Amino acid sequence: MDLEEIAQVLDAVSRFVRERLVPNEDRVEAEDAIPHEILDEMKAIGLFGLTIPEEYGGLGFGMEAEARVIIEVGKAAPAYRSAFATTIGIGSQGIVIDGTDAQKERYLPRLATGEIIGSFALTEPGSGSDAGALKTSAVRDGNDFVINGSKRWITNAPEAGVFTVFARTNPEEKGARGVSAFLVEADNPGITIGKTDRKMGHHGSHTADVYFDDCRVPETALLGGKTEQGFKTAMKVLDRGRLHIAAASVGIAERLIADALAYAMEREQFGQPIAQFQLVQAMLADSRAEAYAAHCAVLDAARRRDQGEDVTELASCCKLFCTEMAGRVADRAVQIHGGSGYVSDFKVEQFYRDVRLYRLYEGTSQIQQLIIARRMIKQVS
Ligand code: COS
């Protein structure tokens, strides 16, 4: 896509956010579901195919264009983005980056239209931050692999059509090296989806455990046709995913700032709008400055990724800074709203809960710090 076409998509997405997503936010929160008609509209705009290559029916957006779209969509309740985010991100990028031609042909066209939802099954009850310690096993049996184990908090598991599942094929190797990735279809009789988790926020976006009980898949389900490459695939996918979450954090921060400013201009105390008070202005100004820095950082790292740079360190810098920034901005937005920020009549109460997740998933802030520092040390040793 050329720049003009990307600008047209961005324009359509901005309009969609204002006219369709924001007005339906209370409904999504109350019903814990994205309305079907909105999902259909997302598919029609191309959101489910945003990052899938054009030859497989997607829009083929690079990282910068994706980040720009996600900043826009991020200005509405986070559950909307989550509906398509795993399909364009962690649930498809393993196939895009490392899949065989046959795997690409089998899944990418249906992912791009939203006909099937892609999901990413890495985390387990016993392995979260230490992803390489996962215990789910995949044992070769003739031309098949048999998968056993369980996965935890898997986003979009109840809706998924295909899971990228990480399982240990080499039991001798306890760490990251023994892990392989498989594409497992949700209608496989060896899969059971647990009950949908009750969460602090992100209502309308569903997570659940996924259980594999003698789940038999053909060897063609092995991602890229190679064993023991799964952990690297996961890390490559997460490099992109972390920039995506950073962009989403920028979007929600910009929304919270706009809402807090509007409230501060309207709410009067001591005979004047509270926006006239310097202590309120300080909260607005700090939020604006931090969101601006975060916006610039995520676009810079995204552009570098598009130019072929290794952005592992920068992706972690962006994930760390942008998600922590969104947490601070949400906290100030509640403070500016005062008591109104603590009741659910205004959206800040919900967004305050929603943004908390950004500092946890796709690697906690502490994991990002660890990745950044490890890279810094490696560069000088
Ligand atoms: N791209 C490509 N390869 C990568 C990579 C990346 N971004 N990051 C690591 N690798 C490779 C390493 O080079 C290493 O390869 P070799 O075995 O050939 O040396 C291999 O992967 C293992 O890497 P490492 O030794 O760094 O693994 P660790 O077990 O120490 O784990 C962390 C590293 C902690 C960074 C990783 O487990 C992690 O990201 N944890 C968080 C998981 C997460 O985000 N979970 C959220 C689930 S999705 S919602």
Side-chain angles (χ1 to χ4, degrees):
M1 275 205 163
D2 60 29
L3 285 177
E4 199 176 317
E5 285 170 309
I6 291 172
Q8 279 169 8
V9 174
L10 265 171
D11 198 44
V13 169
S14 298
R15 207 164 343 109
F16 180 58
V17 169
R18 277 195 314 274
E19 294 173 5
R20 298 292 293 141
L21 302 191
V22 171
N24 280 291
E25 283 172 341
D26 288 343
R27 190 174 157 203
V28 171
E29 180 72 2
E31 295 175 7
D32 190 19
I34 312 289
H36 284 294
E37 66 274 17
I38 289 190
L39 287 173
D40 289 343
E41 290 167 47
M42 285 178 169
K43 290 173 191 171
I45 294 177
L47 288 178
F48 281 82
L50 206 62
T51 60
I52 313 274
E54 285 176 273
E55 57 188 303
Y56 297 105
L59 296 180
F61 274 23
M63 193 67 238
E64 183 186 352
E66 176 187 349
R68 287 185 187 278
V69 169
I70 296 307
I71 290 171
E72 285 310 303
V73 177
K75 292 176 184 169
Y80 288 120
R81 185 195 53 77
S82 199
F84 65 89
T86 56
T87 301
I88 64 163
I90 54 180
S92 68
Q93 291 304 303
I95 307 174
V96 172
I97 296 170
D98 282 336
T100 62
D101 287 346
Q103 288 166 342
K104 290 178 183 171
E105 271 152 32
R106 182 169 175 83
Y107 296 110
L108 294 182
R110 286 183 292 151
L111 287 164
T113 57
E115 183 190 332
I116 56 168
I117 301 295
S119 187
F120 182 82
L122 176 67
T123 300
E124 298 186 355
S127 62
S129 290
D130 188 6
L134 62 83
K135 288 206 162 61
T136 295
S137 64
V139 176
R140 191 180 267 285
D141 182 24
N143 289 334
D144 297 339
F145 284 90
V146 180
I147 305 175
N148 278 289
S150 55
K151 298 289 176 179
R152 178 137 294 172
W153 306 316
I154 304 306
T155 304
N156 287 331
E159 291 85 10
V162 62
F163 293 92
T164 305
V165 179
F166 297 88
R168 189 168 302 284
T169 44
N170 183 354
E172 303 301 314
E173 178 58 73
K174 302 289 176 218
R177 288 213 175 109
V179 174
S180 303
F182 295 88
L183 300 171
V184 186
E185 298 180 11
D187 61 2
N188 187 309
I191 289 193
T192 315
I193 309 296
K195 67 175 173 43
T196 300
D197 299 317
R198 291 182 62 209
K199 308 188 298 310
M200 176 194 280
H202 273 68
H203 298 144
S205 163
H206 307 131
T207 66
D209 284 2
V210 183
Y211 307 108
F212 299 88
D213 190 8
D214 287 337
C215 176
R216 184 172 287 274
V217 292
E219 62 185 358
T220 52
L222 179 65
L223 188 69
K226 294 186 194 136
T227 55
E228 298 187 42
Q229 293 300 310
F231 189 81
K232 287 184 186 172
T233 298
M235 292 300 115
K236 286 185 259 180
V237 166
L238 284 169
D239 280 349
R240 185 165 187 152
R242 288 165 181 164
L243 284 172
H244 175 114
I245 299 299
S249 301
V250 170
I252 194 73
E254 291 181 355
R255 165 74 181 277
L256 280 159
I257 293 166
D259 286 3
L261 176 61
Y263 184 83
M265 299 288 287
E266 196 208 297
R267 170 76 172 165
E268 293 195 0
Q269 288 294 283
F270 304 102
Q272 58 180 332
I274 61 170
Q276 296 306 325
F277 294 109
Q278 289 183 341
L279 293 179
V280 172
Q281 289 176 357
M283 288 191 275
L284 289 168
D286 284 352
S287 299
R288 171 78 180 113
E290 289 184 36
Y292 171 66
H295 195 131
C296 293
V298 78
L299 291 184
D300 176 66
R303 216 171 284 133
R304 287 168 185 261
R305 187 183 186 280
D306 288 340
Q307 286 162 359
E309 264 186 55
D310 174 348
V311 293
T312 299
E313 184 182 333
L314 292 183
S316 286
C317 288
C318 289
K319 168 78 165 58
L320 173 64
F321 182 73
C322 298
T323 61
E324 293 285 339
M325 175 279 298
R328 289 191 294 273
V329 168
D331 190 66
R332 291 187 200 115
V334 171
Q335 198 67 18
I336 290 169
H337 279 75
S340 299
Y342 199 70
V343 294
S344 50
D345 302 359
F346 290 83
K347 296 312 289 180
V348 285
E349 178 273 333
Q350 177 196 323
F351 294 162
Y352 178 81
R353 288 181 285 106
D354 287 340
V355 298
R356 192 63 186 80
L357 181 59
Y358 288 155
R359 292 153 62 192
L360 300 173
Y361 69 177
E362 302 206 18
T364 60
S365 293
Q366 290 67 35
I367 286 295
Q368 308 313 323
Q369 289 171 318
L370 183 152
I371 293 170
I372 298 162
R374 272 191 189 177
R375 292 260 163 170
M376 290 169 67
I377 292 164
K378 201 171 157 195
Q379 277 153 23
V380 293
S381 23

